[in-house]
Amino acid sequence: MNRGSSTDRGSSANREPGFETLAVHAGQDPDPQPGAVVTPIHLSTTFAQSAVGEHAGYEYARTGNPTRASFESTLAALEGASHGFAFASGMAAEDALLRRLSPGDHLVIPNDAYGGTYRLVDKVLRPLGIDYTPVDLSDHGAFAAAWRAATRLVWIETPSNPLLNIVDIEGVASFATQRGGICVVDNTFATPYLQQPLSLGAHAVVHSSTKYLGGHSDVVGGFVATNDDELATYLGFMQNATGAVPSPFDCYLVQRGLKTLAVRMDRQCANAAAVAEHLNAHRAVASVRYPGLASHPGHALAARQMRGFGAMVSFTVGAGEAAALEVASKTEVFVLAESLGAVESLVEHPARMTHASVADSELSVDPSLLRLSVGLETLDDLLWDLDRALG
């Protein structure tokens, strides 16, 4: 389905709604009784049955909730998915997917994966007998060499966290599919507005909906989307069996955030591109990682598989770790905090914050690296803040 603006103004039968229209309307029909245009927050934990086993689709709130179902329909539509499952956090969503693996199985993860993903794989799954190999997934030869007879799953981040590497989703997914494996893409940084992995062959998409989807630093959540009916049956079972589901109010907040996702991403991407160009010319900066820069090794691929280059920028401070820590502590507009993807701009030191769990591993992060989540503030204020902090 085309997720851009529809250009067919013929009959309604021929039209496919654009992304922004889906974000506002998909799964969000007005409430039939009072006519409310905003999805109600259904707080009830249980639902009346007309007879034993006969109900209107809902029995108990862990198993299903109308507000959650509406949110799941909206986000699934944005990802071009036939199935969507909401979870209480991004890590709960990842855990549900990775529980598909059994002792003796092997998975491939990025060698610059998010620290929480690495912690889950290394500290929870590995002791259960599930092996893994970190690899540079932008190097197809290295990825192919890491694949084993026991490999069941490859986990992609693109753009990756925090180095913003770009991975060929279509190439990796095709390779995995031909060998009977599953390709999962963490689409948190790109969002469905900028990138749609399922259309490129991925089997599942995972989100921390805490980030851009919610967009306001006021809700924690996770999500999995898929077109694989068998995988969907498994995920629905895990969602109910483990119970890591979001509250109705959390679902309402993320669904509300989705309505403005496109306009927020347009502005944040524009701000990030200008910030990256500015840092790239700054004498105190040793290197800048941003897919929108022509110098980025994945620039051409990102331009091909993404609608825009995202709003995350990482850079190394030339004077080293101490200087990087000082820069992070001096910003005023950029708030020193973990997380990303909301309306306010954030700065963090991955080696000591979000990626501390990978310290002393092959995924360890350069201690002079800072990661920026560029928000909606006035661009001149963002550039002034960075210049002042960099000295």
Side-chain angles (χ1 to χ4, degrees), residues 17 25 62 74 88 103-104 112 124 146 156 183 219 230 235 239 255 259 261 283 292 295 301 307 311 366 378 385-386:
H25 294 288
R62 169 170 45 79
T74 304
D112 61 340
V124 178
I156 295 177
C183 175
V219 59
E230 182 182 353
L235 288 167
Q239 186 190 52
Q255 189 174 44
K259 295 174 188 288
L261 176 62
R283 62 183 181 181
S295 58
L301 175 59
R307 183 178 189 163
D366 185 340
T378 304
D385 193 37
L386 291 170

Side-chain angles (χ1 to χ4, degrees), residues 30-43:
D31 191 297
Q33 186 174 7
V37 298
V38 175
T39 302
I41 303 174
H42 293 273
L43 297 176

Side-chain angles (χ1 to χ4, degrees), residues 78-152:
L78 297 182
E79 283 288 3
S82 53
H83 309 283
F85 302 90
F87 291 87
S89 70
M91 293 312 304
E94 292 193 18
D95 181 57
L97 273 169
L98 292 173
R99 283 177 187 257
R100 185 80 180 267
L101 301 173
S102 302
D105 287 347
H106 171 259
L107 73 151
V108 176
I109 65 171
N111 65 350
D112 61 340
Y114 166 56
T117 302
Y118 169 79
R119 180 174 55 231
L120 176 62
V121 170
D122 185 68
K123 301 298 190 291
V124 178
L125 297 184
R126 188 168 60 87
L128 298 177
I130 299 169
D131 199 7
Y132 72 97
T133 300
V135 68
D136 178 2
L137 290 174
S138 64
D139 181 342
H140 189 76
F143 166 55
W147 193 273
R148 307 177 187 172
T151 305
R152 299 289 177 265

Side-chain angles (χ1 to χ4, degrees), residues 41-42 72 149 219 225 274 296 329 333:
I41 303 174
H42 293 273
E72 289 173 335
V219 59
H296 190 287
S329 67
V333 182

Side-chain angles (χ1 to χ4, degrees), residues 337-390:
E338 296 195 7
S339 199
L340 58 103
V343 294
E344 66 277 343
S345 292
L346 303 177
V347 58
E348 66 112 4
H349 185 261
R352 297 200 184 194
M353 295 171 69
T354 56
H355 290 68
S357 59
V358 303
D360 301 321
S361 78
E362 52 194 309
L363 280 74
S364 61
V365 179
D366 185 340
S368 68
L369 184 79
L370 293 177
R371 190 192 73 183
L372 304 178
S373 174
V374 182
L376 295 176
E377 298 91 345
T378 304
L379 177 60
D380 284 348
D381 293 333
L382 296 174
L383 300 182
W384 167 84
D385 193 37
L386 291 170
D387 281 345
R388 190 188 58 78
L390 286 162

